[in-house]
Amino acid sequence: MVFDVFGTLVDWYTSISERARRIAARAGVELDAERLTVLWRGRYGPALDAVRLRQRPWCDLDQLHRESLAETLAELGVRLAEADQEELVAGWHQLRPWPGVPEALAQLRRLLPVAALSNGHIRLLIDLTRYAGLSFDTLLSAELAGTYKPHPAVYQTAARLLGLAPDRVVLVACHGWDLAGARQAGLRTAHLPRPTEWGPNAPARAVPEADITASDITDLVGRIALLATPASG
Amino acid sequence: MVFDVFGTLVDWYTSISERARRIAARAGVELDAERLTVLWRGRYGPALDAVRLRQRPWCDLDQLHRESLAETLAELGVRLAEADQEELVAGWHQLRPWPGVPEALAQLRRLLPVAALSNGHIRLLIDLTRYAGLSFDTLLSAELAGTYKPHPAVYQTAARLLGLAPDRVVLVACHGWDLAGARQAGLRTAHLPRPTEWGPNAPARAVPEADITASDITDLVGRIALLATPASG
């Protein structure tokens, strides 16, 4: 069982916007922290595309976040010192988990092997899992495939490292594009909804297609407990 | 901080020889289980060399163990059914930890990030850590570098994935060849002695050179606690 991390397990919107508000207040800079957060995250997909489409070589999220933050600040007409920008970039290593996530992962690990499968690089994931108290059997990352989800190589590399046929691996994610990529690479999929991922006022999204559609993480654990044999495989 | 696994954290000699004895008794085959274990493990270095020297492409330990077991059985003139041989090969996924290891790793993880750095492939390490109750921030493996320790690429790949300069990484191992490889790749080293790694009657070995020489794992934890800052880096 592999888990997407940003959005699915941790709440980047609240964590990053609080950090932005704090940094702006300290620097005496006027800033709409929520707007910055949403615009910054909005540049995430296009930044990954450049690597996915091989328009540039592998480049980790710290560097992509650094570049897209500078672009976002320019768009907003906000000037922020380099050290403050670095503190914002580092914020992606310290995101709070959604309620119940640490407990759910611990429960699932008693049933079967559970890994992260994130676009975050291994170092970022080490920092983030330590900060958020997330426990995995191992961390799997787009970095190990040299490209980003939803490129099929990322899911295929994960299955290969787990020593499993792709259809013996379930990806849990809140994003339709991630579930679709996993399905295309032959994995099973589970949808975990995170309606406030983009903030409390974000518009509702269509429920994406998946083999399992959980109403929340407790429901997911219950369904997996029914399916999994007690011995790990 | 990265840990070698076979020999350093888990006792392959006792685990494998017990399994060999059980399988031989069940099959009604006469077998010196301790001798088989030592001869089998003795073929480990040469098997890795073939990959390290690029005489053959990457090949995981299950396959290398399978081949070297067949050679060892032939050397001993012992016939064992294929299923029994596979059960022995699978034994390397289920090795018991040395006393105090699970507790020591948990203590160290409160001080700093701790990863495995093993010649075992990721799937083997997942199975082994679950079986032995070993807890890491992530699993790093020779598999991620496509060659085996002590090739410098394995240590350098580990440092790169940890996002650290090599001299900010400490390898803990009981084997001189592993510590020497790590040192050559620019890592710091800590020696943890395992005098009965090759069984209770194995001859004493010279203490290898290392930045830290611990008398046992409790001593190692104490020394790291003195060096490490409480906040993880």
Side-chain angles (χ1 to χ4, degrees):
Chain A
M1 194 160 195
V2 295
F3 273 87
D4 174 53
V5 176
F6 299 119
T8 301
L9 296 180
V10 297
D11 174 8
W12 53 264
Y13 176 88
T14 308
S15 303
I16 295 290
S17 59
E18 279 181 8
R19 180 177 286 240
R21 199 176 309 116
R22 197 173 65 237
I23 290 171
R26 192 185 62 198
V29 169
E30 203 162 318
L31 176 70
D32 181 339
E34 283 71 21
R35 182 138 183 260
L36 170 81
T37 301
V38 165
L39 289 176
W40 189 12
R41 182 66 174 175
R43 290 180 180 271
Y44 178 74
L48 300 188
D49 273 339
V51 175
R52 271 195 295 256
L53 302 174
R54 297 184 181 277
Q55 291 160 356
R56 61 186 294 180
W58 169 260
C59 177
D60 71 26
L61 284 195
D62 286 348
Q63 182 57 25
L64 296 179
H65 280 146
R66 196 171 284 130
E67 295 170 7
S68 54
L69 175 61
E71 293 162 10
T72 310
L73 291 171
E75 183 183 347
L76 292 172
V78 171
R79 279 170 174 271
L80 209 55
E82 203 176 309
D84 291 335
Q85 293 189 37
E86 280 303 309
E87 198 176 328
L88 265 171
V89 167
W92 292 92
H93 295 231
Q94 296 190 350
L95 304 172
R96 282 194 300 274
W98 294 108
V101 163
E103 299 76 10
L105 290 178
Q107 282 177 279
L108 287 169
R109 285 189 65 201
R110 286 196 282 274
L111 300 169
L112 77 179
V114 180
L117 180 55
S118 169
N119 277 336
H121 44 297
I122 296 287
R123 168 56 185 269
L124 180 151
L125 293 174
I126 290 175
D127 293 342
L128 183 54
T129 52
R130 290 176 68 84
Y131 180 85
L134 310 183
S135 151
F136 291 105
D137 286 290
T138 195
L139 302 174
L140 299 174
S141 162
E143 185 178 20
L144 303 178
T147 188
Y148 284 105
K149 294 191 289 183
H151 194 296
V154 180
Y155 308 99
Q156 287 157 354
T157 299
R160 179 173 55 76
L161 292 171
L162 293 170
L164 295 169
D167 68 358
R168 299 276 296 155
V169 181
V170 183
L171 172 79
V172 183
C174 65
H175 308 112
W177 59 264
D178 199 2
L179 297 168
R183 173 181 291 255
Q184 209 186 331
L187 277 68
R188 307 287 178 109
T189 52
H191 178 242
L192 186 60
R194 293 297 183 194
T196 59
E197 185 198 357
W198 286 80
N201 305 317
R205 300 193 171 211
V207 175
E209 207 185 335
D211 297 308
I212 298 172
T213 301
S215 57
D216 58 29
I217 199 158
T218 309
D219 179 40
L220 178 74
V221 173
R223 284 160 181 262
I224 297 297
L226 281 177
L227 294 171
T229 52
S232 73
Chain B
M1 195 161 195
V2 295
F3 274 87
D4 174 52
V5 176
F6 299 120
T8 301
L9 296 180
V10 297
D11 173 8
W12 53 264
Y13 176 89
T14 308
S15 303
I16 295 291
S17 58
E18 279 179 9
R19 181 177 285 239
R21 201 176 309 119
R22 196 172 65 237
I23 291 171
R26 192 185 62 198
V29 169
E30 204 163 317
L31 176 70
D32 181 339
E34 282 72 21
R35 181 136 185 262
L36 169 81
T37 302
V38 165
L39 289 176
W40 189 13
R41 182 65 174 177
R43 290 180 180 271
Y44 178 74
L48 300 188
D49 273 338
V51 175
R52 272 195 294 254
L53 302 175
R54 297 184 182 277
Q55 290 161 358
R56 61 187 294 180
W58 170 259
C59 178
D60 71 26
L61 283 194
D62 286 348
Q63 182 56 25
L64 297 180
H65 280 146
R66 197 170 284 129
E67 295 170 7
S68 54
L69 175 61
E71 293 162 10
T72 309
L73 291 170
E75 183 184 346
L76 292 171
V78 171
R79 278 170 176 272
L80 210 55
E82 202 176 313
D84 291 335
Q85 293 189 36
E86 281 302 310
E87 197 176 330
L88 265 171
V89 167
W92 293 91
H93 295 230
Q94 296 190 352
L95 305 172
R96 281 194 299 277
W98 295 106
V101 163
E103 299 76 8
L105 290 178
Q107 281 178 280
L108 287 169
R109 286 188 66 199
R110 285 195 282 275
L111 300 168
L112 77 180
V114 180
L117 180 55
S118 170
N119 277 338
H121 44 296
I122 296 288
R123 168 56 184 269
L124 181 152
L125 293 174
I126 289 175
D127 293 342
L128 183 53
T129 52
R130 290 175 69 85
Y131 179 85
L134 310 183
S135 151
F136 291 105
D137 285 290
T138 195
L139 302 174
L140 299 174
S141 163
E143 186 178 21
L144 303 178
T147 187
Y148 283 107
K149 294 191 289 181
H151 194 296
V154 180
Y155 308 99
Q156 287 157 353
T157 299
R160 179 173 54 76
L161 291 171
L162 293 170
L164 295 169
D167 68 357
R168 297 278 296 155
V169 181
V170 182
L171 172 79
V172 183
C174 65
H175 308 113
W177 59 263
D178 199 2
L179 297 168
R183 174 181 292 254
Q184 210 185 330
L187 276 68
R188 306 288 177 110
T189 53
H191 179 242
L192 185 61
R194 294 295 183 194
T196 60
E197 185 197 356
W198 287 79
N201 304 317
R205 300 194 169 210
V207 175
E209 207 184 335
D211 296 309
I212 297 173
T213 300
S215 57
D216 57 30
I217 200 158
T218 310
D219 179 40
L220 179 74
V221 174
R223 284 160 181 262
I224 298 296
L226 280 176
L227 293 171
T229 52
S232 73

